[in-house]
Amino acid sequence: MTPTRIRIIIGVVAGFVGVLGAGRPAFAQIASGSDIAGSWMPFAHEDFVDRIPGPEPLDWTGLPLSDEGRKVGLSYSVSRNSTIERQCALHPPQYLVLGPFGIRITAETDPFTGATVAWHVGAWEDRAPTTIWMDGRPHPSDNAPHTRGGFETGKWLGNTLTTHTTHIKAGIIRRNGVQVSDQVTLTTHYIRNGDLMTVLMFIDDPVNLTEPHAISKDFRLQQETTLDSTGPPCIITYEGTDSNSVAHYLPGKNPLTGELFKTYGIPREAALGGAETMYPEYRKKLKAAYVRPEKCPHNCGGLPGGPPGGFPGGPRGGGPPGAPPPPPR
Amino acid sequence: MTMRAIRYLLAVFCVLGVAVVPGGQQAALAQQLDAQTLGDGMELFRVRSNFYVLTGAGVNIGIQIGSDGVVLVDAGDAAHADRVIAELKKLTPRLIRYIINTNGDADHVGGNEKIAKAGKSLVPAGDGLATILAPTEVTLRLSLAGYPSGAWPTEAFIETLRRDMHLNDEAIEVLHQPNAHTDGDSLVFFRRSDVLMAGDIIDMRRFPVIDLEHDGSINGEIAALNRIIDIAIPSVPLVSREAGTVVVPSHGRLLQEIDVVEYRDMVTVVRDRIASLMKEGKSLAQVKASNPTRGYTKRYGSDTGSWTTDMFVEAVFKSLAAERSKRR
């Protein structure tokens, strides 16, 4: 992604949050800028399919995958997650924006100066806690361990806390197996306005991506609820997959490569991602190859069994399974 | 105590407090102590209260310190031996008692002779220098390679695949992994410290070196990786903690179990791809042409240097072919 596009995205998101926040009554506003502590709940409808039921297998549309990243994804079998050694392996810190959950942020202050030394972003279910160091400490050396939460340092730029995360373990970039390598780094912007906060993340992996992948997630500050800052314990159990087995598909043998075409008429070349598929111009190219299915079988914009057009407060859209899909834009 | 005295004491306390332990700086200092940069590309990590890892001396060297003395895992290369001794002296006045070699490669054993001379054996026999411990395969290799006898293991084990010790208040298991990277690989597990020295079974810089000349094999390599995974324990059930067994490869960063799982998966996937192509009757040239390391080449592969992607593929192919011909 080009720097200009990155600047545009940050500007648009910051503006969007500002517009939303401007409508709030003055008494609900919290002094702007430098306090992100609190319990923050996400908007469930935002990127609903990716974050709640989970995306279709091999739906990598809009991911700037390199050829290497695509190959790793194509060999992935979901059975791998059932091995003893993977069951309690948490997702890496980018799961903060990829996953469905809220976050609780607390401040660590210097007892003498009162300055914020660090922000602690609490864990949730399947994501480790992260500490955002604000005291200017350097990042560890290349030989230091990569941790589940990564090593994150931050700086305020106006009302936006911008952080840089390194020392991250290999892990998912979308919730269907496609992943980034242990060379991944994150640039994250925590943009707060009143009781709204947008977390805008740029995921950069020189191995499995050709450009940074930008993804944002919006949160609302909870006034009366406090989220936990640790996830529940994880108990490992036998799930039918032997330890030390590595489930994977050999090249050309992944049976799911045509799934997105069968279900939604999306051509394989678009389903397998690539930087080109991130940009609006790609729709023109895709138009000729897109075959609109007669019926939308699932993930049509609402919860199964929910009211037509989606569920209250949820996504707009095509209604229950079997409803005609929305016309292509 | 008068109010004036209380105010005075509070003021003194505050001044001292600010000067000595401002919260953030204290945390930063702790982190710096955990990893000291020593210069010349060397670093010292304090992994546990009595366990350190010295990097940049050819290989990552494990250092366990206690009342019994110093136990080293690998000696590093010959060029760094004096420096390693100097760094150990800075770290502790205790004597070096053991050097455990995880294999017989030059970057693991090159410092054996000098460092052993700087130490003293716990066993009152032989030359009295620090004991060098390794499987007999390492002794054989060093003697054949023309190393001076002072570099050879003085305590070689053959009788079992495991040599046990209890030093510095903890059990130490030296686990021979036959036919992995070479025929003389060992894992060294410090039970109380919960640190596993993995040798060249894992090389985070590249695909694992399968040294066929010294009886390494791809299936032995995968068996060794699986053994590491079996031994290492992550932070469960309390997954929110950054804890668990520390796995130290000879090259590259310190690891936890899941990092080894990722590496094992990569090696296994590549092995399976090559095995599948061989089953189809493909030749080595055809296997190479099919790019069986796809997906992992950019992270672990190289077209130059002492261990290229091409060499790795060839080693896996030949290793599998040798096993097939043995079975026939």
Side-chain angles (χ1 to χ4, degrees):
Chain A
M1 185 170 286
T2 62
T4 311
R5 281 184 188 270
I6 291 172
R7 277 195 293 273
I8 290 170
I9 290 174
I10 295 173
V12 168
V13 171
F16 175 70
V17 173
V19 167
L20 287 178
R24 311 297 304 166
F27 59 82
Q29 301 262 2
I30 293 172
S32 65
S34 56
D35 192 357
I36 55 171
S39 293
W40 299 88
M41 283 299 287
F43 294 95
H45 63 273
E46 188 186 37
D47 286 338
F48 174 80
V49 173
D50 270 5
R51 291 190 178 127
I52 308 293
E56 302 286 340
L58 274 81
D59 174 4
W60 305 333
T61 49
L63 285 179
L65 289 178
S66 66
D67 194 46
E68 290 274 283
R70 194 174 291 113
K71 295 293 190 304
V72 170
L74 284 168
S75 77
Y76 169 83
S77 162
V78 74
S79 296
R80 214 182 288 182
N81 295 342
S82 294
T83 53
I84 296 286
E85 53 266 30
R86 281 196 180 270
Q87 283 173 30
C88 290
L90 301 182
H91 292 306
Q94 62 265 27
Y95 197 66
L96 189 149
V97 291
L98 302 175
F101 302 116
I103 45 174
R104 182 176 175 193
I105 301 176
T106 53
E108 179 184 335
T109 53
D110 186 306
F112 300 106
T113 66
T116 302
V117 175
W119 299 101
H120 297 288
V121 181
W124 191 268
E125 287 278 344
D126 44 9
R127 181 181 53 74
T130 302
T131 298
I132 305 170
W133 295 106
M134 302 294 290
D135 57 0
R137 70 184 59 194
H139 283 243
S141 78
D142 289 347
N143 285 322
H146 287 205
T147 58
R148 297 191 286 191
F151 190 91
E152 191 169 7
T153 54
K155 266 186 195 170
W156 284 101
L157 298 168
N159 218 26
T160 298
L161 173 62
T162 296
T163 71
H164 184 54
T165 312
T166 59
H167 294 77
I168 303 168
K169 292 185 186 296
I172 61 164
I173 191 170
R174 186 168 283 173
R175 294 171 67 209
N176 56 9
V178 66
Q179 70 173 51
V180 284
S181 78
D182 62 354
Q183 305 300 298
V184 68
T185 57
L186 310 176
T187 302
T188 311
H189 305 278
Y190 297 80
I191 308 162
R192 176 172 183 173
N193 196 303
D195 63 357
L196 297 175
M197 181 167 69
T198 294
V199 178
L200 171 61
M201 188 179 281
F202 294 86
I203 304 169
D204 195 2
D205 177 19
V207 178
N208 287 358
L209 302 179
T210 57
E211 296 182 23
H213 176 56
I215 182 164
S216 69
K217 185 173 172 182
D218 292 298
F219 298 85
R220 185 187 294 280
L221 185 64
Q222 299 299 291
Q223 305 290 2
E224 294 166 357
T225 317
T226 303
L227 297 178
D228 289 338
S229 58
T230 57
C234 179
I235 311 295
I236 295 173
T237 186
Y238 181 65
E239 292 183 356
T241 305
D242 290 335
S243 185
N244 298 343
S245 70
V246 182
H248 66 94
Y249 295 113
L250 291 168
K253 304 283 186 197
N254 191 319
L256 302 169
T257 47
E259 201 76 354
L260 217 58
F261 182 74
K262 272 191 278 177
T263 312
Y264 298 110
I266 296 173
R268 179 189 149 102
E269 60 158 288
L272 296 185
E276 192 186 18
T277 67
M278 292 198 299
Y279 298 111
E281 299 81 21
Y282 186 69
R283 281 186 296 191
K284 287 178 198 156
K285 185 177 172 184
L286 187 64
K287 212 169 181 178
Y290 175 66
V291 181
R292 182 176 152 176
E294 286 189 9
K295 285 184 176 177
C296 173
H298 55 98
N299 283 339
C300 310
L303 288 174
F311 66 97
R316 293 180 298 117
R329 285 182 289 173
Chain B
M1 192 180 285
T2 64
M3 285 304 290
R4 192 175 168 183
I6 291 171
R7 276 199 293 270
Y8 175 76
L9 281 175
L10 277 173
V12 169
F13 173 77
C14 286
V15 167
L16 283 175
V18 169
V20 179
V21 283
Q25 286 174 23
Q26 188 186 35
L29 185 64
Q31 184 150 344
Q32 281 159 15
L33 282 177
D34 285 342
Q36 282 179 36
T37 302
L38 305 175
D40 302 326
M42 294 175 79
E43 273 184 297
L44 184 69
F45 288 86
R46 188 175 191 181
V47 180
R48 302 289 192 230
S49 59
N50 71 326
F51 200 99
Y52 298 78
V53 173
L54 181 66
T55 69
V59 294
N60 294 335
I61 297 174
I63 305 165
Q64 184 225 34
I65 299 171
S67 54
D68 296 329
V70 177
V71 176
L72 293 182
V73 178
D74 285 322
D77 57 26
H80 287 90
D82 289 328
R83 183 68 190 276
V84 170
I85 294 166
E87 293 301 335
L88 287 172
K89 280 184 179 159
K90 280 190 229 166
L91 202 56
T92 176
R94 309 262 183 204
L95 289 168
I96 302 162
R97 301 299 196 177
Y98 269 93
I99 302 166
I100 305 171
N101 290 141
T102 58
N103 68 53
D105 290 355
D107 50 356
H108 295 250
V109 302
N112 273 4
E113 189 173 20
K114 265 193 181 172
I115 296 174
K117 276 183 186 163
K120 189 177 178 189
S121 175
L122 285 167
V123 185
D127 55 15
L129 310 180
T131 303
I132 303 172
L133 175 69
T136 46
E137 287 82 354
V138 173
T139 313
L140 188 63
R141 183 171 165 194
L142 297 197
S143 61
L144 288 173
Y147 278 85
S149 59
W152 299 2
T154 49
E155 193 176 321
F157 63 98
I158 190 171
E159 68 280 12
T160 63
L161 292 178
R162 186 173 104 166
R163 169 59 62 95
D164 296 338
M165 298 196 288
H166 198 285
L167 291 169
N168 296 323
D169 296 323
E170 74 173 316
I172 304 169
E173 296 178 75
V174 185
L175 306 162
H176 182 205
Q177 280 301 136
N179 310 108
H181 157 64
T182 64
D183 60 359
D185 298 295
S186 292
L187 307 171
V188 187
F189 183 41
F190 294 80
R191 281 190 181 178
R192 187 167 62 86
S193 298
D194 199 15
V195 174
L196 179 61
M197 300 296 294
D200 278 338
I201 305 296
I202 309 170
D203 188 334
M204 289 305 288
R205 307 166 304 174
R206 57 190 181 179
F207 292 116
V209 177
I210 310 298
D211 185 351
L212 298 179
E213 195 187 333
H214 294 105
D215 290 331
S217 74
I218 183 63
N219 284 332
E221 165 71 21
I222 292 172
L225 288 166
N226 283 327
R227 193 169 191 191
I228 294 170
I229 293 165
D230 286 344
I231 294 169
I233 296 177
S235 180
V236 286
L238 302 179
V239 284
S240 294
R241 290 181 185 162
E242 297 282 8
T245 308
V246 174
V247 179
V248 184
S250 285
H251 304 279
R253 63 184 163 87
L254 310 186
L255 306 171
Q256 292 169 314
E257 188 209 35
I258 192 66
D259 303 302
V260 185
V261 171
E262 293 287 348
Y263 195 81
R264 183 275 314 266
D265 286 4
M266 175 272 290
V267 177
T268 306
V269 167
V270 174
R271 188 270 317 262
D272 289 356
R273 288 174 180 172
I274 294 173
S276 167
L277 291 165
M278 290 172 73
K279 220 174 180 178
E280 292 171 17
K282 298 280 194 291
S283 66
L284 174 59
Q286 288 170 317
V287 168
K288 283 183 179 176
S290 76
N291 187 17
T293 58
R294 67 182 77 177
Y296 307 108
T297 313
K298 196 166 180 189
R299 172 65 182 85
Y300 297 105
S302 173
D303 293 330
T304 57
S306 59
W307 188 244
T308 62
T309 305
D310 201 58
M311 291 162 77
F312 173 60
V313 172
E314 188 164 333
V316 175
F317 183 96
K318 287 182 174 172
S319 174
L320 291 174
E323 285 189 21
R324 282 170 85 182
S325 63
K326 261 189 216 167
R327 280 200 298 270
R328 278 177 194 151

PDB file of all heavy atoms in Angstrom, chain A residues 46-62:
ATOM      1  N   GLU A  46     -19.719  -4.617  12.332  1.00  0.00           N
ATOM      2  CA  GLU A  46     -18.620  -4.199  11.471  1.00  0.00           C
ATOM      3  C   GLU A  46     -17.805  -5.423  11.026  1.00  0.00           C
ATOM      4  O   GLU A  46     -17.330  -6.190  11.853  1.00  0.00           O
ATOM      5  CB  GLU A  46     -17.727  -3.238  12.256  1.00  0.00           C
ATOM      6  CG  GLU A  46     -16.668  -2.575  11.422  1.00  0.00           C
ATOM      7  CD  GLU A  46     -15.732  -1.743  12.295  1.00  0.00           C
ATOM      8  OE1 GLU A  46     -15.427  -2.163  13.420  1.00  0.00           O
ATOM      9  OE2 GLU A  46     -15.322  -0.672  11.832  1.00  0.00           O
ATOM     10  N   ASP A  47     -17.638  -5.605   9.729  1.00  0.00           N
ATOM     11  CA  ASP A  47     -16.962  -6.801   9.203  1.00  0.00           C
ATOM     12  C   ASP A  47     -17.519  -8.057   9.855  1.00  0.00           C
ATOM     13  O   ASP A  47     -16.776  -8.937  10.322  1.00  0.00           O
ATOM     14  CB  ASP A  47     -15.446  -6.712   9.418  1.00  0.00           C
ATOM     15  CG  ASP A  47     -14.799  -5.721   8.462  1.00  0.00           C
ATOM     16  OD1 ASP A  47     -15.391  -5.435   7.408  1.00  0.00           O
ATOM     17  OD2 ASP A  47     -13.699  -5.236   8.772  1.00  0.00           O
ATOM     18  N   PHE A  48     -18.851  -8.102   9.900  1.00  0.00           N
ATOM     19  CA  PHE A  48     -19.556  -9.145  10.654  1.00  0.00           C
ATOM     20  C   PHE A  48     -19.101 -10.556  10.273  1.00  0.00           C
ATOM     21  O   PHE A  48     -18.814 -11.391  11.130  1.00  0.00           O
ATOM     22  CB  PHE A  48     -21.062  -8.975  10.430  1.00  0.00           C
ATOM     23  CG  PHE A  48     -21.894 -10.051  11.031  1.00  0.00           C
ATOM     24  CD1 PHE A  48     -22.190 -10.039  12.387  1.00  0.00           C
ATOM     25  CD2 PHE A  48     -22.374 -11.090  10.257  1.00  0.00           C
ATOM     26  CE1 PHE A  48     -22.957 -11.045  12.956  1.00  0.00           C
ATOM     27  CE2 PHE A  48     -23.136 -12.092  10.816  1.00  0.00           C
ATOM     28  CZ  PHE A  48     -23.430 -12.066  12.169  1.00  0.00           C
ATOM     29  N   VAL A  49     -19.049 -10.836   8.975  1.00  0.00           N
ATOM     30  CA  VAL A  49     -18.740 -12.204   8.547  1.00  0.00           C
ATOM     31  C   VAL A  49     -17.325 -12.604   8.963  1.00  0.00           C
ATOM     32  O   VAL A  49     -17.091 -13.705   9.460  1.00  0.00           O
ATOM     33  CB  VAL A  49     -18.918 -12.344   7.017  1.00  0.00           C
ATOM     34  CG1 VAL A  49     -18.436 -13.708   6.539  1.00  0.00           C
ATOM     35  CG2 VAL A  49     -20.379 -12.141   6.647  1.00  0.00           C
ATOM     36  N   ASP A  50     -16.393 -11.689   8.790  1.00  0.00           N
ATOM     37  CA  ASP A  50     -15.012 -12.009   9.171  1.00  0.00           C
ATOM     38  C   ASP A  50     -14.879 -12.220  10.677  1.00  0.00           C
ATOM     39  O   ASP A  50     -14.136 -13.093  11.117  1.00  0.00           O
ATOM     40  CB  ASP A  50     -14.077 -10.857   8.763  1.00  0.00           C
ATOM     41  CG  ASP A  50     -13.546 -11.055   7.351  1.00  0.00           C
ATOM     42  OD1 ASP A  50     -13.975 -12.011   6.693  1.00  0.00           O
ATOM     43  OD2 ASP A  50     -12.724 -10.236   6.917  1.00  0.00           O
ATOM     44  N   ARG A  51     -15.583 -11.395  11.450  1.00  0.00           N
ATOM     45  CA  ARG A  51     -15.310 -11.386  12.896  1.00  0.00           C
ATOM     46  C   ARG A  51     -16.240 -12.283  13.703  1.00  0.00           C
ATOM     47  O   ARG A  51     -15.880 -12.673  14.813  1.00  0.00           O
ATOM     48  CB  ARG A  51     -15.400  -9.954  13.436  1.00  0.00           C
ATOM     49  CG  ARG A  51     -14.264  -9.089  12.920  1.00  0.00           C
ATOM     50  CD  ARG A  51     -14.188  -7.757  13.602  1.00  0.00           C
ATOM     51  NE  ARG A  51     -13.045  -7.009  13.084  1.00  0.00           N
ATOM     52  CZ  ARG A  51     -13.109  -5.786  12.591  1.00  0.00           C
ATOM     53  NH1 ARG A  51     -14.255  -5.135  12.574  1.00  0.00           N
ATOM     54  NH2 ARG A  51     -12.028  -5.200  12.130  1.00  0.00           N
ATOM     55  N   ILE A  52     -17.435 -12.575  13.209  1.00  0.00           N
ATOM     56  CA  ILE A  52     -18.354 -13.371  14.039  1.00  0.00           C
ATOM     57  C   ILE A  52     -18.430 -14.815  13.520  1.00  0.00           C
ATOM     58  O   ILE A  52     -17.789 -15.689  14.098  1.00  0.00           O
ATOM     59  CB  ILE A  52     -19.747 -12.704  14.143  1.00  0.00           C
ATOM     60  CG1 ILE A  52     -19.606 -11.236  14.593  1.00  0.00           C
ATOM     61  CG2 ILE A  52     -20.632 -13.489  15.127  1.00  0.00           C
ATOM     62  CD1 ILE A  52     -19.096 -11.015  15.997  1.00  0.00           C
ATOM     63  N   PRO A  53     -19.143 -15.129  12.442  1.00  0.00           N
ATOM     64  CA  PRO A  53     -19.141 -16.538  12.023  1.00  0.00           C
ATOM     65  C   PRO A  53     -17.785 -16.979  11.482  1.00  0.00           C
ATOM     66  O   PRO A  53     -17.431 -18.151  11.555  1.00  0.00           O
ATOM     67  CB  PRO A  53     -20.210 -16.595  10.928  1.00  0.00           C
ATOM     68  CG  PRO A  53     -20.308 -15.218  10.390  1.00  0.00           C
ATOM     69  CD  PRO A  53     -19.973 -14.303  11.528  1.00  0.00           C
ATOM     70  N   GLY A  54     -17.029 -16.051  10.922  1.00  0.00           N
ATOM     71  CA  GLY A  54     -15.731 -16.392  10.317  1.00  0.00           C
ATOM     72  C   GLY A  54     -15.873 -16.463   8.809  1.00  0.00           C
ATOM     73  O   GLY A  54     -16.922 -16.846   8.282  1.00  0.00           O
ATOM     74  N   PRO A  55     -14.812 -16.110   8.107  1.00  0.00           N
ATOM     75  CA  PRO A  55     -14.881 -16.080   6.643  1.00  0.00           C
ATOM     76  C   PRO A  55     -14.922 -17.475   6.035  1.00  0.00           C
ATOM     77  O   PRO A  55     -14.620 -18.457   6.701  1.00  0.00           O
ATOM     78  CB  PRO A  55     -13.583 -15.366   6.263  1.00  0.00           C
ATOM     79  CG  PRO A  55     -12.655 -15.661   7.389  1.00  0.00           C
ATOM     80  CD  PRO A  55     -13.501 -15.753   8.626  1.00  0.00           C
ATOM     81  N   GLU A  56     -15.291 -17.525   4.771  1.00  0.00           N
ATOM     82  CA  GLU A  56     -15.288 -18.795   4.039  1.00  0.00           C
ATOM     83  C   GLU A  56     -13.846 -19.299   3.916  1.00  0.00           C
ATOM     84  O   GLU A  56     -12.905 -18.500   3.859  1.00  0.00           O
ATOM     85  CB  GLU A  56     -15.830 -18.574   2.620  1.00  0.00           C
ATOM     86  CG  GLU A  56     -17.220 -18.004   2.549  1.00  0.00           C
ATOM     87  CD  GLU A  56     -18.287 -19.018   2.900  1.00  0.00           C
ATOM     88  OE1 GLU A  56     -18.008 -20.228   2.832  1.00  0.00           O
ATOM     89  OE2 GLU A  56     -19.404 -18.597   3.253  1.00  0.00           O
ATOM     90  N   PRO A  57     -13.677 -20.619   3.820  1.00  0.00           N
ATOM     91  CA  PRO A  57     -12.328 -21.135   3.561  1.00  0.00           C
ATOM     92  C   PRO A  57     -11.797 -20.567   2.246  1.00  0.00           C
ATOM     93  O   PRO A  57     -12.546 -20.440   1.273  1.00  0.00           O
ATOM     94  CB  PRO A  57     -12.536 -22.648   3.435  1.00  0.00           C
ATOM     95  CG  PRO A  57     -13.874 -22.927   3.997  1.00  0.00           C
ATOM     96  CD  PRO A  57     -14.679 -21.678   3.883  1.00  0.00           C
ATOM     97  N   LEU A  58     -10.548 -20.223   2.259  1.00  0.00           N
ATOM     98  CA  LEU A  58      -9.867 -19.695   1.068  1.00  0.00           C
ATOM     99  C   LEU A  58     -10.494 -18.430   0.508  1.00  0.00           C
ATOM    100  O   LEU A  58     -10.380 -18.150  -0.679  1.00  0.00           O
ATOM    101  CB  LEU A  58      -9.760 -20.770  -0.033  1.00  0.00           C
ATOM    102  CG  LEU A  58      -8.530 -21.680   0.117  1.00  0.00           C
ATOM    103  CD1 LEU A  58      -8.774 -22.775   1.125  1.00  0.00           C
ATOM    104  CD2 LEU A  58      -8.131 -22.269  -1.211  1.00  0.00           C
ATOM    105  N   ASP A  59     -11.152 -17.667   1.345  1.00  0.00           N
ATOM    106  CA  ASP A  59     -11.578 -16.324   0.928  1.00  0.00           C
ATOM    107  C   ASP A  59     -10.475 -15.363   1.365  1.00  0.00           C
ATOM    108  O   ASP A  59     -10.442 -14.911   2.503  1.00  0.00           O
ATOM    109  CB  ASP A  59     -12.905 -15.951   1.587  1.00  0.00           C
ATOM    110  CG  ASP A  59     -13.286 -14.506   1.270  1.00  0.00           C
ATOM    111  OD1 ASP A  59     -12.556 -13.846   0.495  1.00  0.00           O
ATOM    112  OD2 ASP A  59     -14.311 -14.032   1.805  1.00  0.00           O
ATOM    113  N   TRP A  60      -9.588 -15.094   0.447  1.00  0.00           N
ATOM    114  CA  TRP A  60      -8.472 -14.186   0.739  1.00  0.00           C
ATOM    115  C   TRP A  60      -8.613 -12.905  -0.063  1.00  0.00           C
ATOM    116  O   TRP A  60      -7.619 -12.206  -0.308  1.00  0.00           O
ATOM    117  CB  TRP A  60      -7.135 -14.876   0.444  1.00  0.00           C
ATOM    118  CG  TRP A  60      -6.989 -16.170   1.185  1.00  0.00           C
ATOM    119  CD1 TRP A  60      -7.578 -16.510   2.377  1.00  0.00           C
ATOM    120  CD2 TRP A  60      -6.239 -17.315   0.789  1.00  0.00           C
ATOM    121  NE1 TRP A  60      -7.236 -17.792   2.743  1.00  0.00           N
ATOM    122  CE2 TRP A  60      -6.415 -18.305   1.787  1.00  0.00           C
ATOM    123  CE3 TRP A  60      -5.438 -17.606  -0.308  1.00  0.00           C
ATOM    124  CZ2 TRP A  60      -5.816 -19.567   1.722  1.00  0.00           C
ATOM    125  CZ3 TRP A  60      -4.825 -18.852  -0.377  1.00  0.00           C
ATOM    126  CH2 TRP A  60      -5.021 -19.819   0.631  1.00  0.00           C
ATOM    127  N   THR A  61      -9.818 -12.627  -0.494  1.00  0.00           N
ATOM    128  CA  THR A  61     -10.050 -11.398  -1.262  1.00  0.00           C
ATOM    129  C   THR A  61      -9.589 -10.188  -0.455  1.00  0.00           C
ATOM    130  O   THR A  61      -9.844 -10.087   0.748  1.00  0.00           O
ATOM    131  CB  THR A  61     -11.541 -11.240  -1.590  1.00  0.00           C
ATOM    132  OG1 THR A  61     -12.292 -11.433  -0.397  1.00  0.00           O
ATOM    133  CG2 THR A  61     -12.001 -12.235  -2.628  1.00  0.00           C
ATOM    134  N   GLY A  62      -8.916  -9.285  -1.120  1.00  0.00           N
ATOM    135  CA  GLY A  62      -8.490  -8.053  -0.461  1.00  0.00           C
ATOM    136  C   GLY A  62      -7.254  -8.198   0.404  1.00  0.00           C
ATOM    137  O   GLY A  62      -6.863  -7.248   1.077  1.00  0.00           O
TER     138      GLY A  62
END
